[in-house]
Amino acid sequence: MFRSHTCGELRPEHVGQEVTLAGWVHRRRDHGELIFIDLRDRYGITQVVFDSITAATHQVAEQSRSEYVLQVRGCVRPRPAEAVNPQLATGAVELEALDAQILNAARTTPIYIAQEGGEDEALRLKYRYLDLRRERMQRNLILRHRVIKFMRDFLDQEDFLEIETPILIKSTPEGARDYLVPSRVHPGKFYALPQSPQQLKQMLMVAGYDKYFQIARCFRDEDLRSDRQPEFTQLDMEMSFVEQEDVLVLLERLFTALCQTVVPQKRLLTPFRRLSYAEALERYGSDKPDLRYELELIKLDDLLANTPFQVFRGALDAGGQVKGLRIPGCGGYSRKQLDELVELAKAGGARGLAWAALPAAGGEVRSSFGKNLGAGEMEALVGRMQAQAGDLLLIVADQAAVVAASLDKLRREFATRLNLADPNTLHFSWVLDFPMLEWNEDEARWDARHHPFTAPLDADLHLLASDPGVVRAKAYDLVLNGYEVGGGSIRIHRRDVQQQVFDLLNISRETAQAQFGHMLEAFEYGAPPHGGIAGGIDRIVMLLADESTIREIMAFPKTQQASDLMTAAPSSVDERQLKELHIALR
RNA sequence: GGGCCCGUGGUGUAGCGGUUAACAUGCAGCCCUGUCAAGGCUGAGAUCGCGGGUUCGAACCCCGUCGGGCCCGCCA
């Protein structure tokens, strides 16, 4: 045994006991004859005092440097009243070192452990094992552990079974790009890593495991974002004999209890608000709106029905929309600041951004487009947007999707600038009634928006043949503070409806047989009605931890170029390995 | 595939056409018995990511390249 206690454990009740601690030198304060060392492990920090009276022990402290690994035997004693450190959990006591040894020395570390630095993230990733020693990362990984532990315990209580599914599976061309694994035994053939265990969990429903879950690693070979890594973890669930409402209610109970347990200090809004996909896009321009603040998009089409302004006119004539945002108190923006906003709108796909600034003192409206408007139109816009002196009005005219994307960008930007989103609030919501299909312009065909097994709303079933674009699905997303943290659907379990959907998606019988034959066959042997959901654990933990990238809550994340800077993966491999796998590089 | 931003001692920054490349912190040595971001003194440490170019002269300007970040496309 290297230690009798951890560095976070000692309290006044331990006074007088002889204990042994082991840990890293967090900080050293050398006063000559007296040396203080803060000894750290993942449980905390304990101050160890080395007095020159114990000469050999004192010498160990003299030689010690930051991040040396020490073992110290000593006596727990109370600190003098004026030397108590209320910042430390162990701050009422200290360890009087009687005997100590250096278990291992350490080079000067490239990053400081004791201080949260602003270093280049690449450096942190290269030396991740040092970065992970920091309190922040430990706190995040501990939170992550608690989240996953809670999910397992909760679902166990609800009679769910955690069942593992394979990592080496069959590739299907649907969805994201697959990570492929070559087969040695089958020349020229490949496994794929799962984008999600979708088909497998549906097979488990056919098999009668009516409440399944898994903490499932998923892989998608797509470009990265701050909330997207090539491998990530989902809470994957599937249930039989359930309707959409059952799934929503269960998940709401799960996440409510989860948040109340692991982040009780946060304000959780319940019940979760529900809004349709159409409403979300209409009011917020996003299917994952941050509802902690309002700042809604305002529809202006009807006021401009006869406008002479070509930009608005053109958009409306082309079947598009004109919508705006009222930004309170930003009417004083400079030309340069406004130009930045125009660039932001363009990043969202808009060709431009019309703005109107109302002076704080009242008077003439400054705007990029006022002179092009017809009589009374500016007044009508100002009225509709309920603009007040000092406000800034931002207006985009384009196709609905472009208007939504660009105003969503602006809406989120101003939430940040104006501090509208309370970081301490968790605002979950359900986005429902997604369109089932999506028109693929490039390929001129319908694509499944969720996946091809998603069931249509019963009320829309009859439209499948006549007007597929308006058919809504029994699909639902769980949204938290502007992030999609979960999504799922009720699946089709009727063979005739499935065939109808395949026909719509232009999936031939042969293709369906080749790609999904095993599922279709399985469904002929008594498939129960079923549905499920998958939650993005990384994103949820990120939000609960108040972090802005999921890299901060993963032990060993990858860079935007999908490389691991610590191990230098991916890497070249031996010619012999390639040969065994029947692979020739081009 | 595209747009924008970043790269200077171990670390974080300043310098933005001529400087002995500055500051903080860390590091090393010495002094110091109540510190907890300990303090004091002394010192070492950077060919400015890399490669070209412009210039009498480049950390600084230009081109390319590598690495990192944010976003668009992509992510059923």
Side-chain angles (χ1 to χ4, degrees):
Chain A
M1 287 288 276
F2 276 96
R3 58 185 176 188
S4 64
H5 294 75
T6 71
C7 296
E9 204 175 340
L10 300 179
R11 296 290 184 278
E13 65 254 34
H14 296 97
V15 164
Q17 289 185 28
E18 192 176 296
V19 303
T20 305
L21 299 184
W24 286 262
V25 175
H26 191 63
R27 284 201 177 92
R28 192 179 71 117
R29 293 176 294 280
D30 186 346
H31 290 225
E33 302 299 300
L34 191 69
I35 300 174
F36 298 96
I37 284 181
D38 289 337
L39 201 64
R40 184 198 71 234
D41 61 18
R42 78 172 170 90
Y43 306 93
I45 289 175
T46 300
Q47 173 166 283
V48 185
V49 187
F50 297 82
D51 197 302
S52 57
I53 295 167
T54 45
T57 305
H58 181 263
Q59 214 181 6
V60 170
E62 262 184 337
Q63 287 165 3
S64 293
R65 294 293 180 270
S66 285
E67 300 308 312
Y68 275 37
V69 185
L70 300 188
Q71 182 185 39
V72 184
R73 183 177 59 83
C75 189
V76 182
R77 69 184 186 199
R79 294 198 191 191
E82 67 280 6
V84 165
N85 185 349
Q87 313 252 280
L88 281 184
T90 61
V93 298
E94 62 191 11
L95 189 67
E96 175 191 8
L98 300 174
D99 185 25
Q101 55 178 315
I102 294 171
L103 298 178
N104 216 335
R107 293 165 57 192
T108 302
T109 53
I111 59 177
Y112 307 124
I113 312 305
Q115 198 180 310
E116 200 62 47
E119 27 338 67
D120 196 305
E121 197 180 340
L123 194 72
R124 293 177 55 206
L125 291 178
K126 181 175 177 189
Y127 297 100
R128 191 59 154 183
Y129 46 89
L130 297 178
D131 191 35
L132 291 175
R133 285 185 189 169
R134 287 174 160 166
E135 205 239 329
R136 170 198 188 174
M137 294 306 293
Q138 288 187 357
R139 203 172 53 229
N140 287 351
L141 292 185
I142 290 166
L143 177 68
R144 186 184 179 114
H145 162 81
R146 288 196 181 127
V147 166
I148 292 174
K149 172 87 160 66
F150 186 93
M151 288 170 169
R152 285 203 159 104
D153 291 347
F154 182 97
L155 292 171
D156 175 65
Q157 286 288 310
E158 298 283 333
D159 269 339
F160 278 75
L161 294 175
E162 181 169 12
I163 301 173
E164 292 175 271
T165 54
I167 291 293
L168 298 175
I169 64 169
K170 179 186 166 78
S171 173
T172 53
E174 295 281 322
R177 213 173 278 120
D178 280 328
Y179 274 101
L180 295 177
V181 179
S183 165
R184 173 180 58 83
V185 181
H186 302 276
K189 294 189 176 174
F190 296 82
Y191 300 97
L193 305 183
Q195 296 174 27
S196 81
Q198 184 59 41
Q199 294 186 29
L200 297 157
K201 67 177 175 179
Q202 289 192 246
M203 302 296 252
L204 287 172
M205 293 305 107
V206 179
Y209 294 86
D210 64 335
K211 293 177 175 183
Y212 144 91
F213 84 99
Q214 182 177 190
I215 306 297
R217 191 64 64 86
C218 304
F219 306 86
R220 293 179 191 176
D221 188 3
E222 297 292 349
D223 287 330
L224 281 68
R225 289 286 188 282
S226 51
D227 65 344
R228 277 166 32 189
Q229 283 271 312
E231 52 180 308
F232 58 100
T233 306
Q234 288 192 334
L235 170 61
D236 191 50
M237 298 171 63
E238 195 78 5
M239 289 156 265
S240 295
F241 309 115
V242 290
E243 297 177 318
Q244 172 170 308
E245 189 63 22
D246 301 309
V247 179
L248 303 193
V249 167
L250 177 76
L251 267 286
E252 189 158 333
R253 280 206 291 124
L254 167 57
F255 279 105
T256 299
L258 169 73
C259 293
Q260 286 168 347
T261 304
V262 302
V263 286
Q265 75 280 12
K266 285 188 175 282
R267 191 166 73 105
L268 175 70
L269 301 180
T270 55
F272 297 177
R273 189 168 146 195
R274 296 184 181 194
L275 61 173
S276 70
Y277 171 84
E279 185 187 359
L281 254 82
E282 177 75 23
R283 295 175 62 182
Y284 306 103
S286 168
D287 61 359
K288 46 180 164 53
D290 191 339
L291 297 176
R292 286 175 297 173
Y293 50 93
E294 285 307 321
L295 210 66
E296 290 192 26
L297 316 197
I298 302 160
K299 201 167 179 189
L300 304 168
D301 297 6
D302 56 304
L303 302 178
L304 299 162
N306 297 308
T307 186
F309 182 26
Q310 273 310 315
V311 171
F312 291 174
R313 176 83 272 133
L316 292 173
D317 288 350
Q321 322 177 306
V322 182
K323 288 171 109 175
L325 278 176
R326 181 182 75 89
I327 314 296
C330 292
Y333 266 34
S334 68
R335 189 58 206 236
K336 189 180 167 209
Q337 287 174 300
L338 291 163
D339 286 345
E340 279 172 25
L341 297 181
V342 175
E343 287 312 307
L344 209 59
K346 284 182 179 170
R351 272 163 295 183
L353 175 69
W355 53 265
L358 282 67
E364 198 70 5
V365 175
R366 187 165 57 106
S367 83
S368 64
F369 62 101
K371 60 182 186 298
N372 302 304
L373 291 178
E377 285 180 338
M378 182 61 87
E379 291 71 20
L381 293 181
V382 168
R384 167 70 56 83
M385 296 177 84
Q386 302 183 341
Q388 295 167 17
D391 286 353
L392 176 64
L393 306 179
L394 302 175
I395 298 169
V396 174
D398 212 307
Q399 291 302 305
V402 173
V403 171
S406 50
L407 288 180
D408 170 48
K409 259 196 161 314
L410 289 164
R411 179 174 180 268
R412 282 183 288 149
E413 172 66 19
F414 277 101
T416 307
R417 290 192 191 189
L418 303 177
N419 254 320
L420 299 178
D422 174 14
N424 217 32
T425 293
L426 298 172
H427 196 140
F428 282 94
S429 60
W430 289 107
V431 177
L432 309 170
D433 302 338
F434 279 83
M436 190 163 105
L437 303 168
E438 197 166 42
W439 183 249
N440 183 328
E441 203 64 58
D442 298 337
E443 317 255 334
R445 62 179 165 91
W446 292 105
D447 279 344
R449 198 189 158 85
H450 188 54
H451 59 63
F453 309 106
T454 300
L457 284 189
D458 298 332
D460 292 354
L461 201 49
H462 66 285
L463 295 167
L464 216 42
S466 56
D467 195 359
V470 305
V471 172
R472 291 162 298 173
K474 290 178 181 170
Y476 30 83
D477 275 0
L478 182 61
V479 173
L480 171 56
N481 292 2
Y483 288 86
E484 181 197 324
V485 294
S489 65
I490 298 298
R491 327 298 182 189
I492 298 168
H493 67 282
R494 270 171 52 187
R495 185 64 209 248
D496 61 323
V497 177
Q498 187 68 68
Q499 192 56 57
Q500 215 181 341
V501 171
F502 279 160
D503 289 345
L504 263 174
L505 295 174
N506 228 339
I507 298 173
S508 69
R509 280 168 207 247
E510 294 71 43
T511 309
Q513 196 53 44
Q515 277 179 33
F516 310 117
H518 52 286
M519 273 190 87
L520 298 177
E521 188 180 7
F523 278 22
E524 288 172 355
Y525 291 105
H530 62 286
I533 190 165
I537 288 178
D538 309 281
R539 287 182 192 167
I540 291 162
V541 174
M542 170 186 92
L543 292 165
L544 299 187
D546 294 315
E547 293 289 0
S548 55
T549 91
I550 59 173
R551 295 187 298 279
E552 298 296 342
I553 52 87
M554 302 176 95
F556 301 106
K558 292 179 177 57
T559 68
Q560 195 158 45
Q561 298 306 312
S563 33
D564 176 343
L565 296 180
M566 188 178 71
T567 63
S571 62
S572 307
V573 295
D574 204 276
E575 185 61 37
R576 206 179 325 152
Q577 286 176 287
L578 290 177
K579 207 169 168 188
E580 268 185 343
L581 295 169
H582 322 284
I583 289 178
L585 297 181
R586 289 199 285 185

